[in-house]
Amino acid sequence: MQLRMTNQREIILRELNTSQRHLAADELYDRVKKVMPRISLATVYRNLEILSEAGMIGKLEISGRQKRFDYDPSEHDHIYCVVCHRVDNLEMAHKGLTAEEFGAVVGYSVTGYRLEIIGVCPECQTKNENKESKK
Amino acid sequence: MQLRMTNQREIILRELNTSQRHLAADELYDRVKKVMPRISLATVYRNLEILSEAGMIGKLEISGRQKRFDYDPSEHDHIYCVVCHRVDNLEMAHKGLTAEEFGAVVGYSVTGYRLEIIGVCPECQTKNENKESKK
DNA sequence: CTCCGTGCAAACGATTTGCACTATG
DNA sequence: CATAGTGCAAATCGTTTGCACGGAG
């Protein structure tokens, strides 16, 4: 079950990397299609899954919405915009947050944690100001 | 747009409360159906949405899975089991975690955060031990 | 030449919606 | 009695899967 570096896999990986964004499968599909028009959405899904399993990209499951994929597989937290759903990387925010002690409270064995900071991104703040002043 | 306290709404609320669990819509539907067999799943979805908007229950969007609803609408964090997907409440875990400072890093205006502790619940730990010893 | 990977379409699970009917306030 | 809420079925959205074919190693 070794990984083959197919053309589509290479392009998917490259497009995600050069985007420097946290794309959802369909957004990445749109980008990849411009380079390889006959690629299928299923292939994009399959490869994103495989690549994240292989630790070459990160998988983000945020806020009940679509999954997003991170060009940076290293461990870090995220901040996301409630208006446009854009996601950005954050330095690890859990200094002093020892997950273990919470497990003890309820008898869980703790394996990790997931932290999302929620807010409005700079772009959406600007748009909103415009909207306000139009009123 | 005032809220009417219909029979179905009352029962949904009551069943969620007495369950003392973090139920998904279909799980709650199953419980409610025992009391009111002709209720529809759509009604359950609609009311869970409305009740959480009204602040009478909490809505949980965890890890790309189904939404779950919390009988306790007060602000608190959650811990959940990767094996059975059960969710439990946790005292606020963010002492010393000032979300605001992260917003500053990337220009976001921060409105909140979401923290999930991930682990294995006591029940699933026990089951797993059994499985291990059978080998 | 062996399988892993692909494209396509169909299936899927969770959730939402249009509609005509019902019942709360 | 006005209009928020309901039940039903169909629609929608994101994602996965079965299958026959194609291409990497």
Side-chain angles (χ1 to χ4, degrees), chain A residues 22 60 70 72-78 88-92 113 115:
Chain A
H22 298 72
L60 274 67
D70 193 338
D72 177 1
S74 73
E75 214 178 314
H76 55 267
D77 300 312
H78 295 97
D88 283 297
N89 287 344
L90 222 44
E91 290 303 303
M92 290 282 262
Y113 78 98
L115 174 64

Side-chain angles (χ1 to χ4, degrees), chain A residues 4 6 8-9 38 43 46:
Chain A
R4 288 179 182 174
T6 62
Q8 17 282 85
R9 194 160 290 169
R38 294 193 45 94
T43 297
R46 272 189 282 238

Side-chain angles (χ1 to χ4, degrees), chain B residues 39-104:
Chain B
I39 197 169
S40 93
L41 180 56
T43 297
V44 174
Y45 271 105
R46 272 188 285 238
N47 278 318
L48 286 172
E49 201 54 46
I50 288 168
L51 291 171
S52 71
E53 212 117 295
M56 301 175 71
I57 62 176
K59 174 161 58 163
L60 276 68
E61 314 202 326
I62 290 212
S63 310
R65 301 197 53 82
Q66 301 169 265
K67 287 179 189 128
R68 290 186 174 274
F69 295 85
D70 191 340
Y71 53 88
D72 177 2
S74 73
E75 215 177 313
H76 55 267
D77 301 311
H78 295 96
I79 185 163
Y80 88 99
C81 175
V82 284
V83 179
C84 68
H85 305 117
R86 155 188 183 160
V87 175
D88 283 296
N89 287 344
L90 222 44
E91 289 305 301
M92 291 282 265
H94 70 320
K95 45 186 175 187
L97 187 157
T98 55
E100 287 70 19
E101 67 191 67
F102 302 112

Side-chain angles (χ1 to χ4, degrees), chain B residues 4 6 8-9 38 40 43 46:
Chain B
R4 289 179 183 174
T6 62
Q8 17 282 86
R9 194 160 290 169
R38 292 193 46 93
S40 93
T43 297
R46 272 188 285 238

Side-chain angles (χ1 to χ4, degrees), chain A residues 34-135:
Chain A
K34 287 179 186 155
V35 183
M36 179 180 268
R38 294 193 45 94
I39 197 171
S40 94
L41 180 56
T43 297
V44 174
Y45 271 105
R46 272 189 282 238
N47 278 318
L48 285 172
E49 201 54 47
I50 287 167
L51 290 170
S52 71
E53 213 116 295
M56 302 176 72
I57 62 176
K59 174 160 58 162
L60 274 67
E61 314 202 325
I62 290 210
S63 310
R65 301 196 53 83
Q66 299 168 266
K67 287 180 189 126
R68 291 185 173 274
F69 295 85
D70 193 338
Y71 53 90
D72 177 1
S74 73
E75 214 178 314
H76 55 267
D77 300 312
H78 295 97
I79 185 164
Y80 88 100
C81 176
V82 282
V83 180
C84 68
H85 305 116
R86 156 187 182 161
V87 175
D88 283 297
N89 287 344
L90 222 44
E91 290 303 303
M92 290 282 262
H94 70 321
K95 42 186 174 186
L97 187 157
T98 55
E100 286 70 20
E101 65 191 69
F102 302 111
V105 177
V106 283
Y108 273 66
S109 120
V110 172
T111 60
Y113 78 98
R114 230 152 53 70
L115 174 64
E116 303 163 20
I117 307 293
I118 302 165
V120 182
C121 73
E123 285 74 9
C124 287
Q125 287 176 53
T126 311
K127 279 182 213 147
N128 215 50
E129 280 163 24
N130 293 346
K131 221 182 269 176
E132 293 299 314
S133 53
K134 273 183 196 163
K135 280 184 189 173

